[in-house]
Amino acid sequence: MPAAGANEPRAPGGGGLPRTITFTADENANDQRAAHLQNLRTFPSREVSSEKTAVKSEAEAGKKNVDITEHLLSLDEVCERFNVQANADRPQDSFGLSASQAADLLATNGPNTLTPPKKKSSLRKFFICVTSLFNLMLIAAGILEYILLGIDYENNKANIYMGAILIAVAFINAAVEWYQERKSENTLAALLKMIPAKTHVIRERKLESIQSADVVAGDVLFLRMGDKIPADCYVFSSSDLKVDNSSLTGESEPQEREPGNTMRNALEATNLAFNGTLAVSGEAYAIVVRTGDHTVLGQIAGLTAGEEKAKSPLNHEIAIFVRIIASVAVFTAAVFFIAGMCLYKDFPFAINFAIGIFVAWVPEGLPAT
């Protein structure tokens, strides 16, 4: 049985387990860390493996740290870095940025917005609709009708219209699907534009309400309950401010934000509030340290920009159904073609019969529905 205290983190060069870079001198102030270490003392048989797992997890998390270091700085250092004046004792009297500074920074760094994901062109979207499995089945059936027409023109003149109808139905289905998708996208875009995002900033000692897109690094923000935080910011004065980080970190409970910080990981820092999170109580004054694509949310969005959009459960189930119907249609068409050849020894009749069975299996209206 190890002696009591054998698993306490030790300084470099000391005995016992090595101290890792993620353990800081302030760890005794961290209740969760203290509870974790106490738990290791209580269950010594698992302490070595548990400690190794914790070290490995924290090392992996350290590699994924976001590009923010301001939470480790003092207010004076942050003000010097962003060339802004802030008053911790009377935050409402902070000078903030001047109008000319804000205009220059906005012109240099661009608006405080995330780069929208690349959109597919309308032509490409229509091509994707045309090449859905059901539409391809209809087009294939139409082409087969014309092949049959070429084999025996006199007895299959009706195939001129049959082939055209099948191909036309495929393109009509694709056009309806494309139109509905485009209409939904336009409706969503219109809804997003109905409520312009506003935020409160202090510039030249005046509290102003501006568009969130016009916020620049160095702006002094006034945050209050109900505000959506427009950028990553350094909290230097707070009155019971709590933020909902669930959309960013998955934490279900509101997190308190206040000056001072003992955590090295930016995502765990108590003096940082992040873009896209919501202030659920209290109020605070904060200095913007990252905007647009440079925020934590922007960096995450950049990492996921190349990911394929996941299908909805309904689309997934429809895709399975389509594959089943397509398999059954091809199988039954082949069976009836073989039966027609065996019974009548008439190739045009057998292929026409098989095509009829094939098309009968295809519910042409499913994509539009």
Side-chain angles (χ1 to χ4, degrees):
M1 176 71 71
N7 294 302
E8 297 288 354
R10 300 183 183 277
L17 293 173
R19 187 181 182 91
T20 68
I21 59 172
T22 54
F23 283 58
T24 69
D26 298 309
E27 61 219 349
N28 290 330
N30 186 341
D31 293 336
Q32 292 181 346
R33 173 64 64 192
H36 174 63
L37 292 175
Q38 182 61 38
N39 185 58
L40 292 181
R41 296 190 196 101
T42 307
F43 302 98
S45 62
R46 297 186 310 218
E47 57 196 11
V48 174
S49 60
S50 299
E51 188 68 20
K52 286 182 178 179
T53 302
V55 170
K56 182 178 179 181
S57 299
E58 290 175 353
E60 291 175 352
K63 295 178 182 178
K64 300 177 182 178
N65 277 347
V66 294
D67 182 24
I68 294 180
T69 58
E70 283 77 9
H71 61 292
L72 304 175
L73 305 179
S74 66
L75 175 59
D76 291 337
E77 290 172 323
V78 172
C79 289
E80 182 180 358
R81 175 174 292 189
F82 293 97
N83 194 22
V84 63
Q85 300 177 37
N87 187 338
D89 297 326
R90 294 181 58 85
Q92 66 274 16
D93 294 335
S94 298
F95 184 83
L97 295 176
S98 66
S100 59
Q101 278 182 295
D104 291 342
L105 287 169
L106 185 61
T108 302
N109 301 325
N112 176 36
T113 55
L114 300 181
T115 301
K118 294 181 180 179
K119 293 185 178 180
K120 297 175 183 176
S121 66
S122 295
L123 184 61
R124 185 180 178 188
K125 290 180 180 178
F126 182 73
F127 177 76
I128 292 173
C129 294
V130 170
T131 54
S132 66
L133 185 55
F134 268 168
N135 288 335
L136 287 178
M137 290 171 64
L138 289 171
I139 293 172
I143 293 173
L144 289 174
E145 293 283 1
Y146 284 114
I147 291 175
L148 184 60
L149 179 66
I151 294 174
D152 187 356
Y153 180 82
E154 291 299 326
N155 294 325
N156 295 287
K157 289 183 178 180
N159 287 10
I160 297 175
Y161 309 105
M162 285 296 298
I165 291 172
L166 291 172
I167 295 173
V169 168
F171 277 88
I172 291 172
N173 274 338
V176 171
E177 185 179 357
W178 172 82
Y179 173 76
Q180 289 177 336
E181 182 179 345
R182 182 171 179 176
K183 187 176 180 180
S184 298
E185 291 176 351
N186 291 340
T187 302
L188 178 60
L191 288 173
L192 293 176
K193 292 179 180 179
M194 286 177 63
I195 308 176
K198 294 270 191 178
T199 192
H200 294 90
V201 301
I202 297 178
R203 292 180 179 174
E204 299 179 350
R205 291 196 177 92
K206 296 178 182 178
L207 184 63
E208 304 175 5
S209 179
I210 65 171
Q211 296 287 340
S212 295
D214 295 334
V215 169
V216 297
D219 261 328
V220 177
L221 301 181
F222 173 55
L223 306 172
R224 58 186 178 182
M225 182 176 63
D227 286 351
K228 184 177 181 182
I229 298 173
D232 293 351
C233 50
Y234 174 95
V235 177
F236 67 89
S237 177
S238 172
S239 175
D240 194 32
L241 176 70
K242 291 185 179 181
V243 295
D244 180 6
N245 283 347
S246 58
S247 62
L248 188 66
T249 63
E251 296 168 295
S252 59
E253 295 294 328
Q255 305 297 307
E256 189 170 353
R257 289 295 177 261
E258 58 187 1
N261 170 59
T262 60
M263 308 300 294
R264 296 194 62 84
N265 189 333
L267 292 176
E268 298 175 355
T270 56
N271 61 349
L272 289 182
F274 299 105
N275 180 24
T277 59
L278 185 68
V280 295
S281 69
E283 60 183 39
Y285 291 85
I287 298 174
V288 174
V289 296
R290 295 289 186 279
T291 60
D293 291 334
H294 300 290
T295 62
V296 173
L297 185 64
Q299 293 178 48
I300 294 174
L303 292 174
T304 59
E307 296 294 327
E308 290 291 332
K309 184 179 179 181
K311 289 184 177 181
S312 68
L314 177 61
N315 286 337
H316 181 68
E317 292 297 329
I318 289 177
I320 295 175
F321 175 73
V322 167
R323 286 194 291 269
I324 293 174
I325 291 296
S327 301
V328 173
V330 171
F331 175 75
T332 54
V335 168
F336 277 89
F337 173 75
I338 294 172
M341 288 296 294
C342 293
L343 295 175
Y344 299 99
K345 304 293 191 297
D346 186 347
F347 178 77
F349 171 80
I351 193 67
N352 206 18
F353 193 26
I355 291 173
I357 295 297
F358 179 84
V359 174
W361 273 104
V362 181
E364 293 86 351
L366 180 63
T369 304

